[in-house]
């Protein structure tokens, strides 16, 4: 069996988990939530195996030198989906709020579906700029940070939906919204997810600068990817600064989290697909 087939199973598993989480919102059935978690854990296990297998397959290429499967858009999207599940499961282990899965799993499922259906899945030799161990350090830290921001965005959307209903003052909240965590818990998860993601993004920028100096002889060249990475960093730095010094919580924090993740997605995909620059090897043509 090849890694591509395993990734298809992973995509199917995440789809089933997403549907089960949505079903849980409607039914409040704990067995459904348990099954959803089971598919998540099994999906991550198979996903990890598939990434390892793709790494192994890179060594089997004729005349090729093996490398970590982080070198093109397909591999980065697949890795991003894996990090989303890892961060989500870690946060879920602490908070045990199954309803959050319905707002986080779609990010991973849509990413895997897009990668499997439209992106170039071939394993190519590394371009000279990527032939460095800094590739692994840089991509690993950046995508773990991105994944934490994805979780923060998901719970922020839940917060905005629930607080909007509560502020209408129509009495006790029932139905699907009644199974959401309290707005205090949602705000806390948003903050803690960004507290995980921000230092990881910072490390990603630092390792990226070190890698740029190794590959191009300069730590910073205001390439579009570098510029947008800095914009994303400033958005989340503003989030934490406003929370610590101004007491920003609740609705304003949730909106800033959603805006930050939109900027993150543009930094990751928009820059690769729309703008040209030193990071053009990360575009869809790879």
């Amino acid at each position: 069996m090849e890694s591509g087939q395993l990734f298809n199973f992973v995509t199917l598993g995440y789809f089933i988990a997403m549907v089960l989480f949505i079903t849980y919102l409607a039914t409040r059935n704990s067995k459904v939530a348990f099954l959803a978690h089971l598919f998540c854990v099994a999906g991550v296990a198979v996903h990890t195996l598939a990434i390892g297998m793709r790494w192994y397959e890179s060594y089997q290429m004729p005349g090729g030198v093996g490398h970590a499967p982080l070198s093109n858009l397909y591999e980065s999207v697949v890795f991003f989906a894996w990090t989303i599940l890892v961060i989500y499961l870690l946060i879920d282990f602490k908070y045990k709020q199954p309803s959050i899965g319905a707002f986080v799993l779609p990010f991973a499922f849509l990413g895997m579906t897009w990668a499997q259906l439209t992106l170039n899945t071939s394993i190519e030799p590394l371009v000279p700029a990527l032939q460095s161990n800094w590739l692994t350090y840089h991509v690993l830290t950046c995508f773990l940070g991105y994944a934490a921001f994805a979780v923060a965005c998901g719970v922020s959307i839940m917060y905005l939906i629930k607080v909007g209903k509560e502020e209408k003052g129509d009495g006790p909240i029932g139905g699907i919204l009644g199974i959401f965590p309290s707005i205090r818990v949602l705000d806390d998860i948003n903050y803690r997810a960004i507290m995980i993601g921000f230092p990881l993004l910072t490390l990603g920028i630092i390792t990226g600068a070190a890698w740029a100096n190794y590959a191009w002889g300069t730590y910073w060249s205001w390439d579009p990817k570098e510029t947008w990475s800095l914009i994303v960093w400033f958005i989340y730095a503003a989030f934490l600064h406003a929370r610590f010094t101004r007491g920003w919580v609740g609705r304003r924090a949730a909106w800033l989290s959603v805006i930050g993740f939109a900027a993150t997605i543009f930094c990751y995909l928009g820059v690769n697909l729309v703008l040209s620059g030193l990071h053009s090897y990360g575009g869809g043509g790879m």
Side-chain angles (χ1 to χ4, degrees), residues 44-276:
V44 169
V46 177
H47 205 154
T48 305
L49 176 63
I51 290 173
M53 184 171 290
R54 187 173 174 91
W55 198 335
Y56 170 78
E57 288 167 354
S58 71
Y59 283 92
Q60 309 307 310
M61 298 295 293
V65 178
H67 57 80
L70 304 167
S71 63
N72 58 27
L73 187 58
Y74 170 78
E75 292 175 344
S76 71
V77 171
V78 164
F79 185 71
F80 184 31
W82 180 82
T83 58
I84 288 174
L85 262 293
V86 169
I87 295 292
Y88 164 70
L89 288 174
L90 287 174
I91 290 178
D92 182 71
F93 180 76
K94 174 176 174 57
Y95 287 92
K96 302 186 187 328
Q97 296 286 346
S99 59
I100 294 173
F103 288 82
V104 175
L105 260 291
F107 293 131
F109 167 67
L110 292 174
M112 288 299 297
T113 302
W114 181 49
Q116 289 299 96
L117 294 181
T118 67
L119 298 181
N120 180 5
T121 63
S122 61
I123 300 175
E124 304 286 350
L126 287 177
V127 299
L130 300 182
Q131 294 174 4
S132 166
N133 288 331
W134 286 111
L135 167 69
T136 304
Y137 308 140
H138 173 61
V139 175
L140 183 65
T141 50
C142 278
F143 278 100
L144 284 170
Y146 290 177
F149 298 152
V151 174
C153 178
V155 297
S156 293
I157 292 170
M158 295 177 75
Y159 179 95
L160 292 169
I161 293 172
K162 185 160 187 173
V163 78
K165 181 68 175 177
E166 286 188 354
E167 288 178 355
K168 288 183 178 178
D170 297 333
I173 295 179
I176 290 176
L177 294 185
I179 206 168
F180 282 17
S182 69
I183 58 173
R184 182 189 60 79
V185 170
L186 290 171
D187 181 73
D188 187 55
I189 297 174
N190 181 30
Y191 163 66
R192 291 185 185 280
I194 290 175
M195 281 295 289
I196 293 171
F198 184 71
L200 287 167
L201 175 65
T202 304
L203 276 176
I205 292 175
I206 293 172
T207 54
W211 179 18
N213 185 55
Y214 173 83
W216 301 310
T218 177
Y219 288 99
W220 198 269
S221 54
W222 295 106
D223 174 73
K225 176 73 81 176
E226 295 171 349
T227 304
W228 272 95
S229 294
L230 197 59
I231 291 171
V232 171
W233 188 89
F234 274 120
I235 291 173
Y236 287 107
F239 175 99
L240 294 175
H241 176 76
R243 191 171 189 105
F244 294 147
T245 63
R246 302 281 183 177
W248 270 34
V249 295
R251 186 190 292 272
R252 289 181 293 186
W255 274 115
L256 199 52
S257 177
V258 172
I259 292 169
F261 187 61
T264 300
I265 291 299
F266 184 80
C267 175
Y268 169 36
L269 296 177
V271 170
N272 283 7
L273 299 175
V274 178
L275 305 178
S276 62

